[in-house]
Amino acid sequence: NSGSIKIGGVDVRDIPKDELMNTVSFVFQNSRLIKASILDNVKMGKSNATDEEVLNALRAAQCMDIIEKFPDGVNTVIGSRGVYLSGGEMQRIALARAILKDAPIVLLDEATAFADPDNEYLIQLAFEKLVEGKTVIMIAHRLSTVRSANAIMVLEQGRVIERGSHDELIAQKGKYYQLYNGCLLYTSPSPRD
């Protein structure tokens, strides 16, 4: 309800929408892919990309196992009535799109939420390529995904209650420490409640 978000000292409300959208890549927890080829889905990140640039983005996003399992490779149509991809596979395709876009700011909102352990591992590898030289804002409940962040902010009811690096927050032995170590105890309501 108040305050501002600034990029390079400029309030985002004062940045033309097209410029702002070219500055930020988004990868949401349930990234939607359109009914089109894998190639076209990734090209949404950069419409004038060459096929080789798309393939490089797919490699960086750890997607070659997906491509190789289909006879039509990158030309395989996914989406409604197309080929089915798991949630983790869709996330990796969405990451390839963000890698291809190469925006200076990346917003990752629960990007591993629907991934099984194998896909989560591959997504983590893809993050390494995606975040190189970028400003990254990562929203996550899985603390393993934020452990290497330069700054971690712990939110509770919309307010920052702790901030610091992983090591600093562990040393504070506060909420982050409890969450990271699984120390939060569930107490069930008493029969009287």
Side-chain angles (χ1 to χ4, degrees):
N1 293 328
S2 64
S4 63
I5 298 171
K6 296 180 180 180
I7 297 175
V10 179
D11 191 310
V12 293
R13 294 171 287 204
D14 297 331
I15 300 173
K17 185 179 177 183
D18 287 347
E19 184 180 336
L20 181 60
M21 290 301 103
N22 287 332
T23 305
V24 182
S25 284
F26 300 90
V27 181
F28 297 107
Q29 69 178 347
N30 55 351
S31 294
R32 300 283 183 216
L33 302 178
I34 62 169
K35 182 184 177 189
S37 69
I38 293 171
L39 181 90
D40 289 338
N41 268 281
V42 175
K43 262 190 167 180
M44 289 174 66
K46 181 180 172 187
S47 60
N48 63 345
T50 66
D51 290 357
E52 188 57 36
E53 288 175 312
V54 172
L55 284 171
N56 287 338
L58 286 163
R59 280 187 201 95
Q62 308 298 311
C63 294
M64 295 316 289
D65 64 315
I66 301 168
I67 305 306
E68 291 167 358
K69 73 180 179 179
F70 301 122
D72 292 333
V74 294
N75 296 312
T76 301
V77 175
I78 55 178
S80 179
R81 297 195 182 232
V83 170
Y84 171 79
L85 296 177
S86 72
E89 289 171 331
M90 287 192 290
Q91 285 301 91
R92 289 190 279 147
I93 299 291
L95 285 168
R97 183 188 296 159
I99 289 169
L100 182 66
K101 183 175 180 180
D102 197 27
I105 299 171
V106 180
L107 176 64
L108 302 170
D109 183 7
E110 294 287 354
T112 63
F114 296 121
D116 59 44
D118 292 336
N119 272 300
E120 182 180 6
Y121 171 74
L122 293 171
I123 289 169
Q124 292 293 343
L125 291 176
F127 283 168
E128 292 175 18
K129 177 62 179 166
L130 175 63
V131 303
E132 286 177 1
K134 309 276 193 276
T135 297
V136 179
I137 300 168
M138 183 180 296
I139 301 160
H141 285 92
R142 289 185 184 176
L143 297 184
S144 60
T145 62
V146 299
R147 183 178 174 158
S148 63
N150 298 52
I152 299 168
M153 288 180 245
V154 181
L155 301 175
E156 186 171 76
Q157 297 184 3
R159 299 210 181 276
V160 175
I161 60 168
E162 294 176 345
R163 83 174 58 199
S165 69
H166 170 78
D167 292 338
E168 290 167 344
L169 292 173
I170 292 294
Q172 288 177 21
K173 297 200 176 187
K175 184 77 157 195
Y176 180 88
Y177 173 86
Q178 293 173 338
L179 291 168
Y180 191 81
N181 289 298
C183 293
L184 291 180
L185 302 175
Y186 173 78
T187 55
S188 60
S190 71
R192 295 184 308 259
D193 292 340

